[in-house]
């Protein structure tokens, strides 16, 4: 290859992630030479120059099924993530055999690590399974953090090992998580076990897990911490008095080690993971509470123990947050009802956040992307009146 061609081969797109150096799983990854694509449970390895399928990977048998739906690629390692289901064989009255989905403990979040140094001869090197369904994941360096939720249930005669969650790791086998190793916070509304597992894709060190009684809605990770949120609905005397609050669980990440540190609470609900951001040890979080003309928007700054140290209240009353982006000491929030107010917030003093600018334009942005130090890109929709006092989307805008 010429120098120009070599340079071009190193120029390829990567997954759009929220935090630099914190990778997020996707259905497509590339290393510049090969494209890795998962669809309908099958992972394809494709030559990026010829678009020839070099290999395809699937795990399926009469009694087992792996619904692969996301992947990571890290040098010579491919990590395929999804839900694993085991079936049991049952004999009908007429003697014919059939397969049925086994009890819910046999539904597991699974990550399979492959050696892809030889793309035509891929080798499975490790499998990690967590009881429950796959919720989310992140990869930092060589460490994958896998998150699952297992509904807790009880019936007369159930065995104890079917109540408590289990973890499987190649080389170690299956491990039961003890009840005394499961964290519980008084007042928790959820009835699910949430398990976070960390493991290094390049060594055989046993998977590290942290389990607590509570479920996860949104997931945010910095390079040092993982945050999971759980929404709770609070019902008033009328539907207009209904509101929400979010419990935030904070974990420390250190290699493959995971430690649950603390929990906090904020009023309102989050738009998505971009509503959270960690900066200089503090968590900035934006929420909307209430509905219709009673909706209020707020931004809060929480310290390392998830205690509030600063806030802005009552932004765009009667509207809802449609997109958020934090970039260093500046926050951007888009709310919407009839027009799109973009708020620019100075967060240089975490105890005294301040709105510095506001721009109102038609339509709304549902995603904000940083471009450079003085520009941000908003992607969303134009809107127009629907003739009944409301609005409808007309076309995409950027």
């Amino acid at each position: 290859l010429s120098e120009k061609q070599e340079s071009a081969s190193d120029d390829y797109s990567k997954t759009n992630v929220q935090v630099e150096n914190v990778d997020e799983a996707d259905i497509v990854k590339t290393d510049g030479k090969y494209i890795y694509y998962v669809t309908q449970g099958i992972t394809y390895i494709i030559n990026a120059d010829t678009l020839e399928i070099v290999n395809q990977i699937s795990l399926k048998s009469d009694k087992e099924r792996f619904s692969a739906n996301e992947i990571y690629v890290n040098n010579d390692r491919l990590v395929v993530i999804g839900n694993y289901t085991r079936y049991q064989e049952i004999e009908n009255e007429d003697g014919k055999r059939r397969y049925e989905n086994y009890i819910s403990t046999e539904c597991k979040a699974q990550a399979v690590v492959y050696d892809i140094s030889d793309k035509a001869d891929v080798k499975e090197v490790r499998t990690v399974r967590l009881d429950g369904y796959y919720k989310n994941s992140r990869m930092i360096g060589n460490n994958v953090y896998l998150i699952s939720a297992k509904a807790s249930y009880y019936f007369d005669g159930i065995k104890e090992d079917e109540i408590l969650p289990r973890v499987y790791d190649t080389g170690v086998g299956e491990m039961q998580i003890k009840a005394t190793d499961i964290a519980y916070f008084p007042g928790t509304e959820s009835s699910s076990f949430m398990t976070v597992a960390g493991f290094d894709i390049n060594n055989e060190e046993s998977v590290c897990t942290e389990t607590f009684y509570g479920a996860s809605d949104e997931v945010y990770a910095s390079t040092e911490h993982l945050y999971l949120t759980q929404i709770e609905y609070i019902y008033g005397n009328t539907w207009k008095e209904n509101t929400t609050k979010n419990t935030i669980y904070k974990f420390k990440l250190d290699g493959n080690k995971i430690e649950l540190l603390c929990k906090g609470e904020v009023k309102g609900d989050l738009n998505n993971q971009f509503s959270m951001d960690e900066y200089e040890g503090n968590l900035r979080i934006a929420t909307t509470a209430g509905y219709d003309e009673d909706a209020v928007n707020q931004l809060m700054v929480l310290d390392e123990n998830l205690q509030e140290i600063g806030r802005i209240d009552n932004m765009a009353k009667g509207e809802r947050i449609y997109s958020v982006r934090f970039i260093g000491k500046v926050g951007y929030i888009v709310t919407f009802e009839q027009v799109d107010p973009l708020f620019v917030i100075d967060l240089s003093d975490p105890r005294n956040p301040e709105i510095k600018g506001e721009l109102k334009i038609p339509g709304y942005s549902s995603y904000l992307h940083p471009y450079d130090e003085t520009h941000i890109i908003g992607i969303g929709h134009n809107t127009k009146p629907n003739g009944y006092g409301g609005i409808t989307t007309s076309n995409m805008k950027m």
Side-chain angles (χ1 to χ4, degrees), residues 196-210:
V196 184
F199 63 95
D200 190 315
I201 60 174
N202 289 328
N203 64 39
E204 299 178 357
E205 185 178 349
S206 180
V207 64
C208 177
T209 62
E210 186 77 280

Side-chain angles (χ1 to χ4, degrees), residues 277-290:
D277 177 79
E278 184 184 83
Y279 184 74
E280 294 183 345
N282 298 318
L283 180 70
R284 294 90 65 89
I285 183 167
T287 67
T288 300

Side-chain angles (χ1 to χ4, degrees), residues 84-292:
Y84 164 90
T85 309
R86 184 164 72 91
Y87 292 75
Q88 68 171 343
E89 192 175 81
I90 298 176
E91 191 171 290
N92 294 332
E93 294 180 359
D94 59 4
K96 294 182 179 180
R97 291 181 176 180
R98 60 189 175 91
Y99 296 98
E100 285 194 353
N101 194 352
Y102 194 47
I103 60 175
S104 62
T105 53
E106 292 304 304
C107 297
K108 303 175 184 291
Q110 177 168 282
V112 184
V113 183
Y114 295 94
D115 182 343
I116 54 171
S117 52
D118 183 350
K119 304 297 186 290
D121 185 21
V122 173
K123 294 181 173 60
E124 181 180 333
V125 296
R126 186 174 192 174
T127 298
V128 173
R129 296 191 195 113
L130 310 178
D131 268 3
Y133 291 92
Y134 172 59
K135 292 287 291 186
N136 216 312
S137 65
R138 292 292 189 273
M139 174 180 270
I140 302 174
N142 296 325
N143 294 290
V144 170
Y145 303 98
L146 183 67
I147 305 167
S148 75
K150 175 188 181 298
S152 59
Y153 60 92
Y154 177 83
F155 56 83
D156 191 34
I158 189 173
K159 298 178 181 178
E160 182 177 302
D161 62 359
E162 292 178 0
I163 299 174
L164 300 174
R166 292 171 292 177
V167 176
Y168 170 84
D169 187 9
T170 301
V172 180
E174 192 167 75
M175 301 167 283
Q176 183 90 57
I177 297 177
K178 299 177 182 178
T180 51
D181 291 335
I182 298 175
Y184 171 76
F185 295 97
T188 298
E189 294 291 327
S190 173
S191 58
S192 295
F193 295 107
M194 184 65 56
T195 299
V196 184
F199 63 95
D200 190 315
I201 60 174
N202 289 328
N203 64 39
E204 299 178 357
E205 185 178 349
S206 180
V207 64
C208 177
T209 62
E210 186 77 280
T211 301
F212 68 99
Y213 201 60
S216 167
D217 290 309
E218 298 296 341
V219 175
Y220 167 78
S222 67
T223 55
E224 297 179 350
H225 297 104
L226 175 72
Y227 297 86
L228 308 182
T229 71
Q230 174 61 36
I231 194 169
E232 179 185 343
Y233 295 93
I234 303 170
Y235 299 98
N237 296 324
T238 65
W239 72 269
K240 285 191 174 183
E241 295 176 333
N242 295 344
T243 187
T244 54
K245 72 174 182 179
N246 263 276
T247 300
I248 309 164
Y249 299 94
K250 180 180 180 180
F251 299 80
K252 180 182 178 181
L253 304 177
D254 182 13
N256 73 323
K257 303 293 190 298
I258 302 166
E259 180 185 359
L260 178 58
L261 297 178
C262 58
K263 79 157 190 173
E265 290 183 353
V266 293
K267 181 182 178 182
D269 56 89
L270 285 70
N271 184 52
N272 54 32
Q273 70 184 57
F274 291 94
S275 296
M276 293 182 283
D277 177 79
E278 184 184 83
Y279 184 74
E280 294 183 345
N282 298 318
L283 180 70
R284 294 90 65 89
I285 183 167
T287 67
T288 300
Y291 301 93
D292 292 343

Side-chain angles (χ1 to χ4, degrees), residues 313-338:
D313 279 317
N314 300 320
M315 287 185 290
K317 183 175 173 60
E319 302 185 2
R320 301 192 68 80
I321 290 176
Y322 270 59
S323 56
V324 182
R325 198 68 188 243
F326 295 97
I327 306 171
K329 296 179 180 180
V330 181
Y332 301 90
I333 297 178
V334 168
T335 62
F336 178 74
E337 184 188 28
Q338 297 287 346

